Amino acid sequence: CLSFCLQCKEFTFHTGYEALVQRLLDGRKMCKDVEDLLKQRAQAEERYGKELIQIARKAGGQTEINTLKAAFERLKQQIESVGNSHIQLAVMLKDELKGIEEFRERQKEQRKKYESAMERMQKSKLSHYKKTMESKKTYEQKCKEADEAEQSFERTSASGNQKQTEKSQNKAKQCRDAANEAENVYKQNIEQLDKVRTEWEQEHIKTCEVFQLQECDRITILRNSLWVHCNQLSMQCVKDDELYEEVRVSLENCVVESDIDYFIKTKMTGTQPPDAIGYENYYSREPNRSNSSPTQSCGMMKRFSGLLHGSSKNNTESATPSAPPLGMPLQEITEKTDVVYASVFVNEQAGITSSQDYRVLYDYTAQNMDELDISEGDIVVVIEENEDGWWTAERNGQRGFVPGSYLKKL
């Protein structure tokens, strides 16, 4: 027990008790140090969690497709989940911090109560000790005076002077009575001091026992708190790994061939390249031109006339046209090609007349008055499929030319 290990043989010293109080003060500082650690760790976890959530929400990935996109989305979800779990960990650390603060304040109030009691007992003990030492000093002085008076009386008696003898005898008697009275006061102070000492010793033992329990509780609380803190961090690591394991599973399902096939399936424009453009003698087609449809001939001449101006290519050279790329205006395509097209005469018998419903695969904005605006997902009725790749289609009562490669038969 601390009460037996912190005694001091010097009556007026309280070295052992002071050492115990200092130990409690040091323990209180240690509580504050642990509180600071938990507080800073909670702040760090909260900042980290919020930054993870912000990173996950700002991450892109919208341009990716199929399985890789799904894996990336899963990663963003799990990063946000990890961020939320770290924020929750910060809340748990703050709760633990609050518990330590309350424990420290409770110990402080209890310690103050016993410290006040010990301070009163120590003051009382020192006061009685001082009083007792003063009565002891008075008692010793009175005893010396009585001894000197008695010795003087003996010398006077030997001289035979009756008057001096009686005077010395009375003085010796008075000094002895004063010494006896001082002795009684001294004894009473000794008894009172011993009583105070006993009370102080009991209070000292009681206080030391309480302080020892406080120290045991403090060490236990801090030890358990640090243990729980380590467990929380370990559990957080395990939880993070479990969340990222789901991302790894999603990445295992990411197949390169599947993503390539998905792209081909959703963006396919056709499986056959366009046929070569054969040579057609202008003069051999003259008779047929008179029988052609004026509207259709005008439209075809209009579509190819832009390619003829300023061209220096030999008109015997052939070229292979294809459907315009997605999102590229037809006029831009014609500006980038060096192929020279002859004016093509198309009669009504050249196309394949049908009345089938087709789904629009890509958006197309009309470049000429005889063309038709279409949007991805529209349903149009194909009136005529022309060999030049431009089909006559009808939508909502409006009719015009559209790229045939932009349509898919239902």
Side-chain angles (χ1 to χ4, degrees), residues 153-185:
F153 170 67
E154 290 177 357
R155 288 194 299 270
T156 303
S157 297
S159 64
N161 190 335
Q162 184 66 28
K163 188 176 181 179
Q164 288 294 330
T165 301
E166 289 178 1
K167 187 177 180 179
S168 298
Q169 184 179 9
N170 291 333
K171 185 178 179 181
K173 186 173 183 286
Q174 289 176 358
C175 290
R176 180 55 59 186
D177 291 340
N180 292 334
E181 184 178 355
E183 182 180 11
N184 292 333
V185 173

Side-chain angles (χ1 to χ4, degrees), residues 148-284:
E148 290 177 356
E150 289 176 353
Q151 292 176 4
S152 176
F153 170 67
E154 290 177 357
R155 288 194 299 270
T156 303
S157 297
S159 64
N161 190 335
Q162 184 66 28
K163 188 176 181 179
Q164 288 294 330
T165 301
E166 289 178 1
K167 187 177 180 179
S168 298
Q169 184 179 9
N170 291 333
K171 185 178 179 181
K173 186 173 183 286
Q174 289 176 358
C175 290
R176 180 55 59 186
D177 291 340
N180 292 334
E181 184 178 355
E183 182 180 11
N184 292 333
V185 173
Y186 175 49
K187 287 180 179 180
Q188 289 176 1
N189 288 336
I190 287 291
E191 292 175 359
Q192 187 66 28
L193 179 61
D194 188 63
K195 182 180 178 180
V196 172
R197 183 198 60 80
T198 302
E199 293 175 356
W200 172 85
E201 187 174 322
Q202 293 174 353
E203 186 67 26
H204 181 269
I205 294 173
K206 181 180 178 181
T207 301
C208 287
E209 289 176 351
V210 172
F211 286 177
Q212 180 176 345
L213 290 176
Q214 277 199 343
E215 186 67 4
C216 292
D217 291 342
R218 184 190 67 82
I219 295 174
T220 302
I221 289 293
L222 293 184
R223 171 185 176 275
N224 292 343
S225 178
L226 295 177
W227 194 294
V228 169
H229 178 63
C230 292
N231 287 344
Q232 289 172 339
L233 298 182
S234 297
M235 291 173 63
Q236 183 63 44
C237 292
V238 173
K239 190 173 183 179
D240 290 353
D241 186 69
E242 290 176 352
L243 293 174
Y244 289 127
E245 179 62 25
E246 296 185 17
V247 179
R248 288 190 284 268
V249 172
S250 179
L251 289 171
E252 289 177 354
N253 296 327
C254 178
V255 181
V256 178
E257 293 79 5
S258 176
D259 285 8
I260 297 298
D261 292 342
Y262 178 84
F263 171 76
I264 294 174
K265 181 178 179 181
T266 56
K267 304 298 181 180
M268 182 175 63
T269 58
T271 58
Q272 296 294 331
D275 295 332
I277 302 299
Y279 170 74
E280 296 181 8
N281 189 290
Y282 175 79
Y283 297 100
S284 65

Side-chain angles (χ1 to χ4, degrees), residues 50-233:
K50 289 181 178 179
E51 289 178 358
L52 284 181
I53 293 175
Q54 188 176 10
I55 290 172
R57 292 179 179 177
K58 288 185 176 181
Q62 286 78 10
T63 58
E64 192 49 66
I65 60 173
N66 210 28
T67 59
L68 182 57
K69 181 177 182 180
F72 188 72
E73 291 296 326
R74 171 63 66 178
L75 175 62
K76 293 196 295 182
Q77 294 174 4
Q78 299 307 77
I79 289 177
E80 185 169 352
S81 298
V82 170
N84 288 324
S85 66
H86 279 274
I87 293 176
Q88 184 62 33
L89 174 60
V91 174
M92 296 170 62
L93 293 176
K94 290 179 181 178
D95 292 340
E96 186 69 22
L97 169 64
K98 184 178 179 181
I100 296 178
E101 289 176 347
E102 292 175 351
F103 168 77
R104 174 171 55 81
E105 290 302 319
R106 286 197 306 269
Q107 281 207 333
K108 177 182 177 182
E109 294 299 324
Q110 186 182 29
R111 187 179 70 252
K112 280 186 175 180
K113 182 175 66 174
Y114 282 93
E115 284 180 349
S116 298
M118 280 298 296
E119 186 177 358
R120 288 193 303 269
M121 293 303 301
Q122 288 174 354
K123 287 182 178 180
S124 177
K125 186 183 74 167
L126 292 176
S127 176
H128 281 81
Y129 175 78
K130 183 178 180 181
K131 184 178 179 181
T132 301
M133 293 299 101
E134 289 177 354
S135 64
K136 178 183 178 182
K137 184 177 180 180
T138 301
Y139 162 68
E140 291 176 348
Q141 183 63 31
K142 295 297 182 182
C143 287
K144 290 180 179 179
E145 291 177 356
D147 291 342
E148 290 177 356
E150 289 176 353
Q151 292 176 4
S152 176
F153 170 67
E154 290 177 357
R155 288 194 299 270
T156 303
S157 297
S159 64
N161 190 335
Q162 184 66 28
K163 188 176 181 179
Q164 288 294 330
T165 301
E166 289 178 1
K167 187 177 180 179
S168 298
Q169 184 179 9
N170 291 333
K171 185 178 179 181
K173 186 173 183 286
Q174 289 176 358
C175 290
R176 180 55 59 186
D177 291 340
N180 292 334
E181 184 178 355
E183 182 180 11
N184 292 333
V185 173
Y186 175 49
K187 287 180 179 180
Q188 289 176 1
N189 288 336
I190 287 291
E191 292 175 359
Q192 187 66 28
L193 179 61
D194 188 63
K195 182 180 178 180
V196 172
R197 183 198 60 80
T198 302
E199 293 175 356
W200 172 85
E201 187 174 322
Q202 293 174 353
E203 186 67 26
H204 181 269
I205 294 173
K206 181 180 178 181
T207 301
C208 287
E209 289 176 351
V210 172
F211 286 177
Q212 180 176 345
L213 290 176
Q214 277 199 343
E215 186 67 4
C216 292
D217 291 342
R218 184 190 67 82
I219 295 174
T220 302
I221 289 293
L222 293 184
R223 171 185 176 275
N224 292 343
S225 178
L226 295 177
W227 194 294
V228 169
H229 178 63
C230 292
N231 287 344
Q232 289 172 339
L233 298 182

Side-chain angles (χ1 to χ4, degrees), residues 303-346:
R303 190 161 283 101
F304 289 101
S305 62
L307 300 175
L308 295 174
H309 299 300
S311 173
S312 60
K313 291 284 186 178
N314 191 326
N315 60 1
T316 61
E317 186 176 353
S318 63
T320 304
S322 61
L326 180 59
M328 180 178 292
L330 180 60
Q331 186 174 357
E332 183 178 347
I333 298 173
T334 59
E335 291 175 355
K336 291 184 178 180
T337 179
D338 293 333
V339 179
V340 176
Y341 291 84
S343 60
V344 180
F345 176 77
V346 182

Side-chain angles (χ1 to χ4, degrees), residues 270-299:
T271 58
Q272 296 294 331
D275 295 332
I277 302 299
Y279 170 74
E280 296 181 8
N281 189 290
Y282 175 79
Y283 297 100
S284 65
R285 295 168 53 206
E286 283 295 326
N288 294 331
R289 293 178 61 202
S290 60
N291 298 328
S292 63
S293 172
T295 302
Q296 190 172 19
S297 176
C298 178

Side-chain angles (χ1 to χ4, degrees), residues 11-46:
F11 191 85
T12 58
F13 289 174
H14 308 103
T15 308
Y17 172 76
E18 292 171 355
L20 178 57
V21 172
Q22 186 60 45
R23 173 65 260 176
L24 296 180
L25 294 177
D26 292 342
R28 177 179 172 83
K29 184 179 183 304
M30 178 61 182
C31 288
K32 290 184 178 180
D33 291 341
V34 174
E35 292 169 16
D36 291 339
L37 184 146
L38 294 179
K39 181 179 180 180
Q40 295 180 20
R41 184 59 189 262
Q43 293 174 348
E45 292 291 340
E46 186 174 7

